Amino acid sequence: MYRTLIAMLAGLALSACGLAETAATGVGAASSAAEQAKQGQQTEQRMQQQVEAAKQVAADKLNAADDGGGGASTSP
C-alpha cells in the first residue's frame, strides 16, 4: 500500500508539472494574441490616416484645377 501511495504521489507531481506548463503556454499564447490584436488596430488607424490624407490631397488638386482653369479653354 505504501508503494502505491508513493507511485500515486509521484504521478500526481509529474502531471501537475505538465499542467502548469500547459497553463503557462496558454497564457503566453493569449498574451501574444492580445499584442497582435493591438498592433493590428494601430496599423488600421495608420492606414485610415493615410487614406484620409490621400483624399485631402486629391480634393486639393481638384479644387486647384477648378480654380485655375489652366488656360485650356478659349473664347471665340
Side-chain angles (χ1 to χ4, degrees), residues 8-70:
M8 286 177 51
L9 288 176
L12 180 62
L14 290 175
S15 67
C17 289
L19 182 60
E21 182 180 337
T22 302
T25 301
V27 169
S31 175
S32 177
E35 182 63 29
Q36 288 177 352
K38 182 179 175 182
Q39 289 176 355
Q41 288 174 342
Q42 291 173 345
T43 300
E44 182 181 3
Q45 289 174 352
R46 281 194 308 270
M47 293 302 292
Q48 287 177 348
Q49 290 171 349
Q50 290 175 354
V51 167
E52 291 300 319
K55 285 181 182 179
Q56 186 63 45
V57 167
D60 291 346
K61 286 183 179 181
L62 183 60
N63 288 336
D66 286 345
D67 292 341

